[in-house]
Amino acid sequence: MRVLVVEDEPRLLRNLDKALREEGYAVDTAEAGDDGLYKAENNCYDAIVLDVMLPRLDGWEVLERLRQKKQTPVLMLTARDAHSDRVRGLDTGADDYLVKPFDLLELLARLRALIRRSVGQARSRIEIGDLLIETRARSVTRAGEPVALTAREYSILEYLALHRGEVVTRTELYEHLFDENDDTLSNLLDVHVFGIRKKLGQQLIATRRGQGYCIEL
Ligand code: CA
């Protein structure tokens, strides 16, 4: 999953970037509203963490302009617990909000919930036959036995599992799992999928030639 964090406080931005990467997200950052809007409009994020008080363009304006083009889930960071802020946020199309200062673990939990809801998966467990994916723990078991995947292998498997029954193109995987600083050598994806198949069998992920990958329903 790839997220964008728009936040102008350097220390908070660094902490969020680090925490999200540790959770396995690909992370892009922006420190001003206009940069954030540009990235949000031009990249495919699974969620955006958006501060309200930002230089050049505030969070409300970013959200309003973004909503004219895209429905990417947005978690707003508001400075005050003002009722009017909350109403405004929900009116403008924010999907959730947190009041500063917030608990990092709560932000991570809400972000996970936001992404799950946006792909129509309300639960944090995905079962495919005897395969169980726990998105909260980022763990995979097969018939009760733990399977050790690399962070990247896990991300690819989780994305395909959340979009089960759909063909996910290679481009989509790159856009959602790799951040803007990642090296996008096209054969890299094959290496990770090869790794998943080696651990979980050839049958799980089907290759659709010229299109992408699919976990069948
Ligand atoms: Ca701010």
Side-chain angles (χ1 to χ4, degrees):
M1 299 291 162
R2 183 179 179 188
V3 297
L4 171 68
V5 183
V6 191
E7 168 63 65
D8 61 324
E9 289 165 46
R11 191 154 157 255
L12 180 55
L13 184 61
R14 264 201 312 280
N15 288 343
L16 285 173
D17 184 40
K18 184 164 173 279
L20 289 165
R21 283 177 191 281
E22 281 169 6
E23 287 285 300
Y25 293 98
V27 185
D28 289 348
T29 57
E31 291 170 33
D34 51 357
D35 294 341
L37 179 62
Y38 179 82
K39 288 186 180 183
E41 285 179 340
N42 291 288
N43 295 314
C44 295
Y45 297 108
D46 296 283
I48 299 169
V49 178
L50 179 61
D51 188 27
V52 168
M53 303 292 280
L54 289 167
R56 299 207 282 276
L57 209 60
D58 74 22
W60 301 124
E61 286 177 79
V62 172
L63 182 60
E64 219 170 299
R65 294 198 203 177
L66 179 68
R67 280 290 172 262
Q68 292 168 15
K69 293 186 181 170
K70 282 188 165 184
Q71 294 306 317
T72 314
V74 171
L75 173 68
M76 299 289 289
L77 301 178
T78 68
R80 299 144 289 161
D81 189 13
H83 180 66
S84 60
D85 259 15
R86 257 178 286 168
V87 172
R88 184 170 177 191
L90 297 172
D91 274 352
T92 318
D95 299 272
D96 200 359
Y97 64 90
L98 265 179
V99 178
K100 284 180 169 181
F102 54 84
D103 176 28
L104 197 53
L105 290 177
E106 188 178 357
L107 180 133
L108 295 173
R110 288 195 188 209
L111 208 55
R112 278 193 300 269
L114 209 59
I115 292 172
R116 278 203 309 274
R117 280 206 304 275
S118 74
V119 291
Q121 272 271 359
R123 292 170 310 137
S124 61
R125 293 155 64 99
I126 308 168
E127 285 173 59
I128 302 170
D130 62 355
L131 189 70
L132 175 65
I133 303 170
E134 301 255 23
T135 62
R136 198 161 301 172
R138 293 177 61 78
S139 70
V140 176
T141 55
R142 166 151 258 176
E145 293 293 317
V147 181
L149 298 179
T150 66
R152 203 66 105 179
E153 287 167 356
Y154 176 84
S155 299
I156 293 169
L157 176 66
E158 184 196 73
Y159 194 89
L160 292 173
L162 286 169
H163 294 84
R164 197 173 169 194
E166 300 167 28
V167 175
V168 178
T169 65
R170 298 170 61 84
T171 309
E172 190 177 343
L173 284 172
Y174 274 117
E175 285 174 346
H176 286 273
L177 302 179
F178 293 74
D179 64 54
E180 60 187 359
N181 299 315
D182 267 318
D183 195 343
T184 53
L185 290 171
S186 66
N187 62 0
L188 219 58
L189 202 50
D190 298 322
V191 173
H192 298 307
V193 172
F194 179 81
I196 299 170
R197 284 176 172 156
K198 218 168 132 190
K199 292 168 186 172
L200 293 171
Q202 297 295 317
Q203 304 304 316
L204 180 66
I205 300 173
T207 301
R208 299 290 175 80
R209 197 167 292 278
Q211 295 182 60
Y213 300 104
C214 178
I215 293 181
E216 312 269 4
L217 278 174

